[in-house]
Amino acid sequence: MRRYRFLAMGMAAAWLCLPVSSHAQFAAAGSGGPPGASIPGPGRADEPAEQTPADPGYFAGPSPYAPQAPGVNAANLPDIGSVAADSLPAMLPQAGAAPAPGDWATYGRDDAQTRYSPLAQITPENVSHLQVAFTYHTGSYPRPGQTNKWAAETTPIKVGDGLYMCSAQNDIMKLDPATGKEIWRRNLGEKYEAIPYTAACKGVTYFTSSQVPQGQPCHNRILEGTLDMRLVAVDAATGEFCPGFGHGGQVNLMQGMGESVPGFVAMTVPPTVVNGVVVVNHQVLDGQRRWAPSGVVRGYDAESGRFVWAWDVKHPDDHDQPTGNRHYSRGTPNSWAAMTGDDALGLVYVPTGNAAGDYFSGYRSAAENAVSTSIVALDVRTGSPRWVFQTVHKDVWDYDMGSQVTMMDMPGTDGQTVPAIIVPTKRGQTFVLDRRTGQSILPVEERPAPAGDVAGDTRAPTQPWSVGMPSLHMPDLREQDMWGMSPIDQLYCRIKFRRAHYVGEFTPPSLDRPWIMYPGNNGGSDWGSMAYDPQTGILM
């Protein structure tokens, strides 16, 4: 039987004074209400009124998310209707299918999202002799007067004779993988105003149509989600918009979202295609309003771009797209990280965050608490959850799921292999689940957690710990761990530590003094995820 070895890469913690890096954070006590919470709109405590009062933080009227390609805008990008899930073409199961030798065909290289290349040309002996073959500049950068919020986060995919990638502002390019020469470029005209935290596009998706004949335009196509909430499809050979997809190659993802402003919601990860359904998620800006735009996850027909289903946390049995003055539930947990599709089981594994207002959970509904900071397996034919595995209960630390899960097969106790997923977390805990049921394969303990003292916001009595896997978790902070470049710096840091509220991991937020969150909300493991070698069973 193959041995499975898991190598835990430690979290290096280096900081000036108290760590306010990705590993620990100070949260200052607020004076105007619970930290991170915003005042709810009128109506029920768990749902905003349909008509939000006039507020400079909201945009009332037609969506401002106007696609900027020539001749295209929100006004002439209409709803193209929906398609019944049972009318979608049957797709052959492809879970875990390996790309062609030398290809990196998806965001995580293969359908299992292993992030591991089997290529053997580069070795420890010759790696020092590598030289730059080419350099390619995307041309996306801040112009005069613009804040530099640009980030190089794209992971190119290599399929056959093409290297496909996107710029920080969503232009899509095809390069010659041997020379770096640009073969085509699709300029999407993304506006500066649409940039959220960061101008970033993490990748694109390659999809082969089962309806368009081989050799015809858009038989092979590139799919991308944009910062201004469009789902775009272009021909992989030419970069031309796919005329049979959406409205001239584009779908407006702001349909059904209600009031918003540019940059409040954005799609930064490549869409996931499972059995002919394109599943899209999006990020929502943290700490802005309790009734932020919805974190709804949706499915569209990969052939036509027509709407198929929605998963709205507060309306789990209503999978339709809202019409008229209706909209998806506001402020619900969103999913901003890359998802993983499982064609064999017909599931998509959705990493979730928490409801709007990160550091106060008193306004959250039971439905929101049940799926926050979790992996949710959705049925791609209906949008209904099959199972939920939660990694933090009543999360007020912004430990949302930033990592894409990885599929693998594990040996079972009865000699049969178990289809599994690896679930990395910002806490440094790594869970291993049966991807059919969401049940943990390796032991998980519910351990007592500190109680909070913020009125109206009780903390969960326990939190889950993965005891069957090596952890990236670092020891709790101590006063002697505080560091400074001089003795005065170190003394100041120690004083700050003593004055802060800190009782180890899951220190509850406090109102009367600063409190320390360690690890910080960037991990642990964030959107870089993990790599898995299926030949040796090593997880990195």
Side-chain angles (χ1 to χ4, degrees), residues 309-311 316-317 319 347 377-387:
W309 53 256
W311 176 52
D317 297 324
H319 299 291
L347 298 176
L378 297 181
D379 187 317
V380 296
R381 305 297 278 190
T382 66
S384 297
R386 291 262 196 94
W387 55 257

Side-chain angles (χ1 to χ4, degrees), residues 79-158:
D79 183 353
I80 63 167
S82 60
V83 59
D86 57 9
S87 68
L88 292 172
M91 304 291 286
L92 295 175
Q94 298 289 330
D103 278 1
W104 189 285
T106 72
Y107 181 62
R109 181 185 173 263
D110 50 21
D111 288 345
Q113 310 302 329
T114 62
R115 287 176 177 75
Y116 179 79
S117 173
L119 298 181
Q121 282 183 304
I122 301 175
T123 67
E125 290 72 31
N126 65 22
V127 67
S128 62
H129 303 301
L130 292 179
Q131 297 180 352
V132 175
F134 65 80
T135 301
Y136 176 78
H137 296 279
T138 67
S140 181
Y141 57 88
R143 267 51 179 184
Q146 296 179 346
T147 302
N148 187 358
K149 299 192 291 182
W150 271 248
E153 296 184 357
T154 188
T155 296
I157 60 172
K158 193 268 182 184

Side-chain angles (χ1 to χ4, degrees), residues 83-270:
V83 59
D86 57 9
S87 68
L88 292 172
M91 304 291 286
L92 295 175
Q94 298 289 330
D103 278 1
W104 189 285
T106 72
Y107 181 62
R109 181 185 173 263
D110 50 21
D111 288 345
Q113 310 302 329
T114 62
R115 287 176 177 75
Y116 179 79
S117 173
L119 298 181
Q121 282 183 304
I122 301 175
T123 67
E125 290 72 31
N126 65 22
V127 67
S128 62
H129 303 301
L130 292 179
Q131 297 180 352
V132 175
F134 65 80
T135 301
Y136 176 78
H137 296 279
T138 67
S140 181
Y141 57 88
R143 267 51 179 184
Q146 296 179 346
T147 302
N148 187 358
K149 299 192 291 182
W150 271 248
E153 296 184 357
T154 188
T155 296
I157 60 172
K158 193 268 182 184
V159 182
D161 64 351
L163 190 67
Y164 303 92
M165 58 185 293
C166 51
S167 74
Q169 286 182 284
N170 293 125
D171 291 349
I172 309 173
M173 294 81 75
K174 178 181 180 180
L175 311 183
D176 182 327
T179 65
K181 179 183 178 182
E182 185 177 282
I183 298 173
W184 56 254
R185 182 187 188 99
R186 169 51 57 188
N187 189 321
L188 293 185
E190 193 75 77
K191 284 188 174 181
Y192 173 76
E193 289 75 18
I195 298 174
Y197 309 103
T198 305
C201 176
K202 291 185 173 69
V204 297
T205 301
Y206 190 96
F207 172 72
T208 298
S209 171
S210 62
Q211 297 182 9
V212 177
Q214 186 172 0
Q216 295 297 311
C218 291
H219 171 68
N220 296 315
R221 59 188 69 173
I222 301 299
L223 305 173
E224 182 195 60
T226 69
L227 296 178
D228 63 1
M229 294 294 284
R230 286 173 282 165
L231 177 61
V232 177
V234 301
D235 180 62
T238 66
E240 296 297 322
F241 284 113
C242 294
F245 184 90
H247 184 77
Q250 304 187 75
V251 173
N252 185 355
L253 297 179
M254 286 305 295
Q255 292 168 6
M257 292 293 288
E259 298 168 338
S260 188
V261 293
F264 210 156
V265 290
M267 191 170 175
T268 62
V269 294

Side-chain angles (χ1 to χ4, degrees), residues 31-107:
S31 58
S38 55
I39 305 301
R44 301 199 315 271
D46 65 342
E47 185 77 22
E50 280 294 315
Q51 300 298 325
T52 306
D55 184 323
Y58 275 82
F59 179 92
S63 169
Y65 290 80
Q68 301 304 315
V72 180
N73 54 53
N76 62 17
L77 195 63
D79 183 353
I80 63 167
S82 60
V83 59
D86 57 9
S87 68
L88 292 172
M91 304 291 286
L92 295 175
Q94 298 289 330
D103 278 1
W104 189 285
T106 72
Y107 181 62

Side-chain angles (χ1 to χ4, degrees), residues 236-361:
T238 66
E240 296 297 322
F241 284 113
C242 294
F245 184 90
H247 184 77
Q250 304 187 75
V251 173
N252 185 355
L253 297 179
M254 286 305 295
Q255 292 168 6
M257 292 293 288
E259 298 168 338
S260 188
V261 293
F264 210 156
V265 290
M267 191 170 175
T268 62
V269 294
T272 300
V273 181
V274 192
N275 289 342
V277 177
V278 184
V279 186
V280 299
N281 57 357
H282 56 267
Q283 67 175 39
V284 180
L285 286 181
D286 287 334
Q288 304 299 306
R289 293 186 64 90
R290 171 62 183 98
W291 307 120
S294 180
V296 62
V297 177
R298 289 165 288 179
Y300 294 83
D301 180 11
E303 299 286 353
S304 67
R306 292 183 180 273
F307 174 87
V308 180
W309 53 256
W311 176 52
D312 183 346
V313 169
K314 287 190 178 180
H315 300 286
D317 297 324
D318 183 358
H319 299 291
D320 294 333
Q321 182 169 266
T323 58
N325 292 327
R326 295 173 57 245
H327 52 70
Y328 298 114
S329 301
R330 301 188 73 88
T332 53
N334 68 56
S335 171
W336 59 266
M339 300 173 288
T340 299
D342 189 334
D343 288 324
L345 295 179
L347 298 176
V348 59
Y349 306 111
V350 181
T352 67
N354 47 49
D358 286 328
Y359 304 116
F360 180 76
S361 65

